[in-house]
Each structure stands twice: as C-alpha cells, then as structure tokens.
C-alpha cells in the first residue's frame, strides 16, 4: 500500500495558471535531456538548443542522475541515514531517491520539494513509498527554506540526522537571492551527523561548451542557470566535513565502474557532514 503525503493546500486555479507550457521549465528540459516523455514543445526546443551547443548534454545529465543514486546509496548503506530532504526533485525518473534509499532501508522517510506544478502532479502519482517508509511532497521554492523546514517537520524528525539533497538545483539561484544563506539556513536546522549533498553546473571542465549550453537553454527558460566554479561550489559546504573524494566532477564521485568514472559531465558534486 502506498504511504505518501502531499500538499493539498494549493488551489486548483493556482495549479492551472502555473502550467504555462509555452515557456520551458528546468524540470521538463531536464526530462527532455534524459529522454523522458513529460515535456512540451518549448522544453524540447530548449533541450535541443542545449544539445546543439554541448552534444554531450545527455551524458552529463545521466552522470548527474547516477551521482544522485550513488550518493543516496552511500547515505543509506554506509552513513546510516534514514531521512532525506530532496529539494529540486525533478520529474520521476529511474532510481528516485526513495527507491534507492528504501531498497537499502525500507523504513526510510523522504520529503520531496520542487516548485514545478508538473513535478507536483507526477509526484502525487508516482513518488509513493511502500510501508514502513514514507514519502511526502512539498510544493515550495528553495528560496523559502523556512516554509520547507516547517512543512518537512511533519514527516522528518529534525532531532535525528537528515540528508539534505540539492542535486542540480542551486544553479537556479542567483547570487542576488543569497544561495549561501539558503544553504546555511538548511544546514543550521539539522542536527550533528546530518549530511548535505550538492551537484552544480560548471564550465570548469568544458568552458566553451558549457557557456554555450547555458546561453542556449537560458534563452528558452524563465529560470536562468548559473555556472559556478569549483571554489564557489566548495564554499557551499562551509562548516561541514567534506566526505572523500571532496568536490569533484560528478562522474568521479565514488564511481562504480570505469564507464561511470569516464562519463562526460559539466557538474561539480560533493557531500559534507555536520560534525558534533
Ligand atoms: C535539473 S532538475 C534536477 C532534478 C533532480 N534533482 C536530479 O538531479 O535528477 C532541477 C529541478 O529543480 C527544480 N527547481 C528549480 N528551481 C527551483 C527552486 N527555486 N525551488 C525548488 N525547485 C526548483 C526544477 O523544477 C527541477 O525539477
């Protein structure tokens, strides 16, 4: 039986007005890059423009998904984590956070957060857990950590360790919206022994291609992506102990095979732990 909880306070007219399919949205562009079917013409156009600029875009997003799966596996299997706060969930795809975590620890509790109404609609149908675990879904913006933390507390016990997942989402938060302040608010709310995992677009590995990719995709989307350098992404982990191998190309974070390790990826990825 499904054990899931979802925000039901969003008025229908509000949901409908937010379904503007004429403008590309990050969740659906990402889905198109992954070869998914939950996207519209504007999303496919933005994804195709991105692929023309950076032909390895498909490999890059798959490497990011594989990073997500490996980090959740590490957290559940090696770090003893049973609670996940996954912000910027994306459309359901292969190896969603609750599937990886609950395959290892069935009692895992997962709270998903996204600001895309189509992710909300799919999450209600698909991001459901099997008992004894639970999934919850919050329709919220990363820029509002107070709302996220307050709603997440109906499912997560913040006196016990929580893994905060910011996979492929911080690059939608410009410096003017204080991404460091948002990360600090989230990590301040969790107890010692909690973790923060981040992946973030960068041009450090493929400068010309990634600049062209972001320019091309940003032309079609309202939410603009920002490329950040290694030092900036590492800075988000301030006050935390970095887990080996530190902030590396996502494909190089504890790869399971040579094929995973050598995948083209224009993202930095890392994990930090909050010490006592
Ligand atoms: C590139 S996708 C990443 C999906 C998933 N985390 C993964 O790595 O496979 C980025 C997701 O972040 C969501 N997103 C973008 N800006 C956001 C914001 N300000 N608040 C909440 N979610 C956001 C998008 O709707 C999208 O689902």
């Amino acid at each position: 039986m499904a054990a899931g909880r979802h925000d039901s306070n969003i008025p229908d007219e509000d949901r409908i007005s937010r379904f503007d399919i004429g403008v590309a949205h990050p969740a659906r562009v990402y889905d198109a890059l992954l070869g998914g079917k939950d996207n519209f013409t504007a999303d496919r156009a933005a994804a195709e423009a991105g692929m023309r600029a950076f032909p390895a875009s498909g490999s890059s997003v798959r490497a990011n998904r594989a990073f997500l799966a490996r980090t959740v596996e590490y957290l559940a299997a090696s770090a003893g984590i049973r609670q996940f706060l996954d912000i910027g969930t994306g459309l359901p795809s292969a190896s969603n956070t609750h599937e990886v975590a609950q395959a290892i620890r069935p009692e895992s509790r997962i709270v998903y957060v996204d600001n895309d109404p189509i992710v909300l609609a799919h999450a209600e149908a698909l991001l459901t857990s099997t008992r004894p675990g639970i999934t919850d879904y919050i329709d919220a913006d990363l820029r509002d950590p107070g709302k996220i933390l307050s709603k997440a507390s109906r499912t997560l016990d913040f006196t016990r360790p929580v893994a905060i997942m910011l996979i492929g989402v911080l690059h939608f938060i410009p410096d003017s919206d204080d991404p460091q302040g948002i990360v600090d608010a989230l990590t301040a709310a969790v107890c010692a022994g909690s973790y923060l995992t981040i992946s973030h677009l960068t041009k450090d590995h493929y400068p010309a291609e990634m600049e062209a990719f972001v320019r091309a995709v940003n032309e079609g989307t309202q939410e603009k992506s920002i490329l950040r350098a290694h030092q900036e992404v590492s800075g988000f982990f301030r006050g935390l102990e970095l887990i080996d191998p530190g902030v590396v190309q996502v494909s190089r974070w504890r790869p399971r095979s040579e094929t995973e390790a050598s995948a083209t990826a224009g993202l930095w990825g890392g994990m930090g732990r909050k010490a006592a």
Side-chain angles (χ1 to χ4, degrees):
M1 182 179 156
R5 253 204 306 247
H6 307 284
D7 255 355
S8 53
N9 304 337
I10 305 148
D12 280 349
E13 61 278 14
D14 200 21
R15 292 188 191 209
I16 290 160
S17 68
R18 291 172 59 208
F19 269 83
D20 184 356
I21 64 167
V23 180
H25 191 279
R28 292 171 256 141
V29 174
Y30 186 74
D31 179 70
L33 288 169
L34 279 171
K37 304 243 175 301
D38 300 312
N39 48 72
F40 301 101
T41 307
D43 308 309
R44 288 191 287 279
E48 280 159 20
M51 280 191 276
R52 279 194 296 278
F54 181 36
S57 303
S59 161
S60 194
V61 293
R62 284 192 298 278
N64 186 51
R65 258 334 265 191
F67 170 77
L68 166 65
R70 291 196 306 278
T71 53
V72 173
E73 188 179 310
Y74 173 87
L75 289 160
S78 305
I81 292 291
R82 308 283 175 269
Q83 306 193 96
F84 294 81
L85 179 55
D86 181 341
I87 308 174
T89 305
L91 284 153
S93 184
S95 301
N96 300 300
T97 298
H98 74 286
E99 292 164 339
V100 176
Q102 291 179 348
I104 298 163
R105 294 288 170 191
E107 70 274 27
S108 298
R109 304 167 86 82
I110 292 88
V111 173
Y112 288 115
V113 182
D114 207 286
N115 67 351
D116 184 329
I118 296 192
V119 174
L120 170 67
H122 281 78
E124 285 172 340
L126 295 173
L127 296 178
T128 53
S129 137
T130 47
R131 291 190 192 284
I134 190 164
T135 58
D136 191 3
Y137 185 90
I138 301 171
D139 178 60
D141 197 293
L142 175 56
R143 293 173 185 81
D144 192 352
K147 174 179 175 182
I148 293 172
L149 291 164
S150 144
K151 293 211 171 206
S153 66
R154 65 193 177 189
T155 303
L156 305 179
D157 174 0
F158 281 95
T159 66
R160 311 191 68 171
V162 174
I164 301 164
M165 310 298 292
L166 297 176
I167 309 298
V169 65
L170 271 174
H171 45 239
F172 297 110
I173 308 293
D175 289 348
S176 55
D177 284 341
D178 191 16
Q180 184 72 60
I182 293 169
V183 171
D184 290 349
L186 292 169
T187 54
V190 294
C191 65
S194 294
Y195 287 78
L196 169 70
T197 308
I198 292 174
S199 71
H200 196 297
L201 286 173
T202 186
K203 65 174 181 177
D204 289 353
H205 312 102
Y206 314 102
E209 292 90 336
M210 286 303 291
E211 248 180 50
F213 170 81
V214 161
R215 199 179 317 118
V217 173
N218 281 354
E219 263 177 35
T221 52
Q222 235 162 22
E223 295 80 5
K224 311 297 180 199
S225 303
I226 297 135
L227 299 163
R228 289 195 172 97
H230 187 266
Q231 201 189 348
E232 297 173 280
V233 178
S234 301
F236 288 131
F237 292 98
R238 73 179 178 193
L240 305 180
E241 294 168 346
L242 271 180
I243 303 299
D244 271 355
V247 176
V248 294
Q249 198 173 12
V250 286
S251 42
R252 300 272 164 185
W253 199 93
R254 300 176 180 248
R256 288 176 286 218
S257 66
E258 223 358 86
T259 311
E260 272 193 350
S262 59
T264 302
L267 298 104
W268 289 120
M271 184 188 286
R273 181 176 183 276
K274 186 166 174 175

